[in-house]
């Protein structure tokens, strides 16, 4: 069955919030190397600011190391500077044509701190989804449709809201498990 346009717009906003929240949670450093930890860092290259993933290859040869290999060796220093300026707790080391990013061992205090950050990010995601639901309800109430159809559409929106809330809770639980696993 095709979704009503009012529900579809609300759903698109919720999906965008969900995607953003998941990306933010994935960017949290769990002690295990992941390209997503650095790929969003902005690098000054060719007279403009570009994401690290747009100017280099990012790989993880082992669980405690990220390798960044700029496609143009002339921006090697710019990439190193951008990683240092990003203040992500990783000290870059130039090794020939690549930059090595060794991940430090995380203390339990740091892990618990990151769990709090994950909870804050997931709560921001839930708030964003609830805001999209509220906006959707407002649009439905103002729509020129029957009361029965309004109730059906509101129920539809609430069903999708519940689904997204559960998805965020699942992602949070997974991230929390990753962070606290020693």
């Amino acid at each position: 069955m095709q979704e009503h346009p009012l529900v579809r717009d609300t759903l698109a906003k919720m999906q965008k919030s969900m995607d953003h929240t998941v990306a933010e949670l994935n960017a949290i450093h769990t002690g295990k190397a992941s390209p997503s930890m650095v790929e969003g860092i902005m690098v000054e290259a060719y007279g403009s600011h570009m994401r690290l993933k747009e100017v280099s290859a990012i790989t993880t040869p082992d669980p405690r190391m990220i390798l960044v290999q700029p496609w143009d060796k002339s921006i090697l220093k710019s990439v190193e500077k951008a990683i240092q300026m990003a203040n992500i707790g990783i000290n870059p080391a130039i090794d020939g044509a690549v930059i090595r990013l060794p991940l430090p061992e995380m203390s339990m205090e740091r892990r618990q701190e990151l769990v709090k950050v994950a909870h804050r990010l997931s709560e921001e995601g839930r708030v964003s989804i609830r805001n999209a639901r509220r906006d959707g309800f407002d649009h439905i109430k103002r729509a020129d449709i029957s009361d029965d159809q309004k109730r059906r559409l509101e129920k539809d929106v609430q069903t999708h809201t519940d689904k997204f809330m559960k998805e965020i809770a699942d992602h949070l639980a997974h991230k929390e498990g990753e962070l606290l696993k020693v």
Side-chain angles (χ1 to χ4, degrees), residues 125-142:
R126 287 191 292 265
V127 167
S128 181
I129 288 172
R130 286 192 296 265
N131 287 340
R133 176 188 61 188
R134 183 196 62 223
D135 293 346
F137 281 178
D138 289 348
H139 285 95
I140 291 169
K141 284 180 180 134
R142 288 195 307 265

Side-chain angles (χ1 to χ4, degrees), residues 44-123:
E44 193 167 324
Y46 315 115
S48 67
H49 290 284
M50 303 173 82
R51 285 193 169 85
L52 185 58
K53 69 179 179 180
E54 295 169 348
V55 297
S56 61
I58 305 169
T59 58
T60 52
D62 64 63
R64 312 235 16 100
M65 177 74 67
I66 299 174
L67 274 182
V68 178
Q69 185 171 11
W71 292 313
D72 180 1
K73 289 175 182 38
S74 67
I75 64 168
L76 201 60
K77 286 287 187 194
S78 295
V79 170
E80 179 189 32
K81 183 179 176 192
I83 293 169
Q84 287 172 336
M85 298 300 285
N87 198 16
I88 56 173
I90 303 173
N91 198 18
I94 295 179
D95 183 12
V98 299
I99 299 174
R100 294 185 182 280
L101 305 172
L103 275 79
E105 191 64 43
M106 288 201 324
S107 66
M108 196 53 168
E109 294 82 30
R110 178 69 177 142
R111 289 174 185 275
Q112 289 169 338
E113 210 176 285
L114 290 173
V115 166
K116 289 177 186 173
V117 169
H119 278 274
R120 181 181 53 78
L121 292 172
S122 65
E123 181 57 31

